[in-house]
Amino acid sequence: MLAGNMPLFGKSQKNPVEVVKQIKEAVVALEKGDKKLEKAQEDVSKNLLVIKNLLYGTADTEPLSDIVVAQLAQEMYNNNLLLMLVQNLTKIDFEGKKDVAQVFNNVLRRQLGSRSPTVEHICAKSEILFTLIAGYEHQEIALNCGTMLRECARYEALAKIMLYSKEFFNFFRYVEVSTFDIASDAFSTFKELLTRHKPLCAEFLEINYDKVFTHYQQLLNSENYVTRRQSLKLLGELLLDRHNFTVMTRYISNPDNLKLMMNMLKEKSRNIQFEAFHVFKVFVANPNKPKPILDILLRNQDKLVEFLTRFHTERSEDEQFNDEKAYLIKQIKELKPTTSDQ
Amino acid sequence: MMEQREFDEDVMPSAIDDDDDVFKDLLNVPADWSANDCLSTGIFNSFDPNEVVYRAQKKPCKTVGKYVMGDLLGEGSYGKVKEVLDSETLVRCAAKILKKKKLKRIPNGEKNVLNEIQLLKTLRHLNVIELVDVIVNEEKEKMYILLEYCVGGLQDMLEHSPGSKFPCWQAHNYFSQLINGLEYLHSRGIIHKDIKPGNLLLTLDETLKISDFGTAEALSPFDPEGICASSQGSPAFQPPEIANGADEYSGFKIDIWSSGVTLYNLVTGEYPFEGDNVYRLFEAIGKCNIQIPGFVTEPLRSLLVGMLKKDPKKRFTLRTIQTHPWFVCRHPRTSEKVPFPPLRGDFMHNMTVLPYLFNYHSCETPSDNEEEYITEQLIKDRPNGSTSVPIDDVNDPSKQPWHKPIVCNVKKMASCRLS
């Protein structure tokens, strides 16, 4: 197939077997710490650059042909190179870390007809995913791991492994860490996992309802303003997505959730009040309100009407909000105890 | 309710109504035809023909709110669509100009327009057309719906392509964007009900935008079934359950069916069902004897069959489509792309607002090099020299503030061009 001595891609072109062998040796050396750190790092980065240039091409060279890429990828799978790179990411130097992410994402996107061989490889080596998730624990690699994780999350098979793992619940911790950029990166991965493949996400949320929403409650009560605001917004999106119908019905039947939202309507931050409104409205608009929910609303009927009438009155431009607000006020005014009650 | 903005219409000095064809003004002698020009050339009674052409095709500048009007992009039963430029953000948009009188003559005309505005306001997705603004002129009984700029629809492209169809790879690109957009709409409980090539628009960078939400329906978030009871979509794209007169049907499955007919149309250039009139057509759809041309091979064949199943329960769901081999496969570009049809000879779809702006500011002259460079560029870019741009030699400092925006416009335009 590939004539090794054919000057297909310039003079310094190596064949895939060789390239992978060299980088593997360099990573092993880095892992063991035999050589001086800097020397070992240099070796790894040099080889990473070679692979990156093979995959993406450079100013002077074209990217490799499909056949050679296939060989290169196959060698990477055979040598478990992806896992090795990810496991040693903290030790690789700054540019090298970025190159790992680029090489990883490029190989991941490979397709053979309707198959994605790298996705299949990672499915079989799910340790890769868990190592990447754990990357959020290490400041120096968190963002690199984030880009790779979100690329993985685009594939349903990989998203499924992550969602159904115990490691997924670590995200509830990562999205709250004090380093803002890491917390936001973790949140976008978290959101991607919960929204990208809608039927999969809905099924996951239904099966793990109690566990997920117990954890989610902590986000909504977080000390961290950004966490509180982002998680509240995401909650609204999740509940109003038709795929999550069952989850929504269950969520809006729980009086504790209603109480939480009513408290959030009164938060200091107007942004949080506004996001809370979009969850609160679902409780009120529900035509089949369970008794505990109805009871709370009835008990607060007058106060709610008064509160909502004065709620965010400056948003006169936002017609949809005003229509919804007017609708809620009307609904609450017209609430009556159920007949069986009287 | 729709937004009722205070209408501020700024008609610039030589403006004409946007309903009148600009070219009616052909023979008007322009006001700024200064004696100086004539004197300097030394001609009084004979004109340089080029000069006449330019003067004649003057484009009077008109604004609606903060939007500067450009050329006509298209026309429908409801009114015209024109290109406009947002003078604050310098983003090109399209303005759908609706007249109350005309709307009243269309069944459900006004209702559909309000429905569309209300729905579009809540939607935000890469593959759904974005509503930018709504401006109402009560006095003129006109409404301007400002939407993001698109080059045209798939229907237009099909009509200009050999065999009225796309190569497979191109159809795949559009179809997968359609399914992405549809997934978003369905997740928000919105049934489009009128998916067809004519309602799928493209931006200059080939992003597909689902448009025309006039007949779309937002389902109640508390109704688990997604049942619809009305449909006003185009007959050829209606599913058997509607053709057979069912009272209620699953909304999601109508969009799947019409997306199936759309895909069929994009790859074969034909419709799966035909009839001389609506009754015959509905009869054919109702029977659902589907013939797929022999050149359509697996796996595309099974995707079409799955999307065009007579029984809505057996018809594919979005999820089955998204995991179907034809959908998942990457389709290498094997044949020539069907291009966007040109707009009045312009294959690049350059911004048409600029000549109006230049006309408006033509009394002033670019003094520095940058301005001159831009003007030359503009002349080169004009399609077939349909309009030439005046370069006068007057430098009016009072109009300086306008220099900057124009520079930006041109740069913007250059970057918008298809490469």
Side-chain angles (χ1 to χ4, degrees), chain A residues 106-123:
Chain A
N106 183 301
V107 178
L108 185 56
R109 285 191 291 260
R110 262 194 75 225
Q111 275 198 317
L112 257 181
S114 57
R115 287 179 49 213
S116 299
T118 309
V119 173
E120 291 167 24
H121 172 70
I122 298 178
C123 279

Side-chain angles (χ1 to χ4, degrees), chain A residues 109-111 113-114 156 196 198-200 240-243 245 248 252 282 285-287 317 319-320 323, chain B residues 1-3 118 121-122 183 186-189 219-226 252 319 323 325 328-330:
Chain A
R109 285 191 291 260
R110 262 194 75 225
Q111 275 198 317
S114 57
E156 189 168 332
R196 176 93 194 193
K198 292 175 183 305
L200 170 74
L240 285 174
D241 189 321
R242 279 197 75 90
H243 293 88
F245 184 81
M248 187 256 303
I252 60 169
V282 191
N286 180 8
E317 294 276 291
E319 266 180 71
Q320 194 185 351
D323 288 353
Chain B
M1 285 304 292
M2 11 148 291
E3 202 170 322
Q118 195 155 34
K121 273 187 184 170
T122 67
E183 181 187 40
H186 285 188
S187 80
R188 301 290 307 264
L219 299 168
S220 155
F222 303 102
D223 157 30
E225 304 299 328
F252 301 114
R319 188 176 163 85
T323 52
V328 177
C329 253
R330 196 166 290 175

Side-chain angles (χ1 to χ4, degrees), chain B residues 119-125 128-129 184-185 188 190 213:
Chain B
L119 284 177
L120 281 181
K121 273 187 184 170
T122 67
L123 301 177
R124 187 160 284 262
H125 186 271
V128 174
I129 191 95
Y184 169 75
L185 293 178
R188 301 290 307 264
I190 289 168
F213 286 74

Side-chain angles (χ1 to χ4, degrees), chain B residues 133-144:
Chain B
D133 207 347
V134 179
I135 296 178
V136 178
N137 183 347
E138 293 287 3
E139 206 179 305
K140 284 191 173 179
E141 300 206 306
K142 273 196 211 171
M143 185 194 270
Y144 299 81

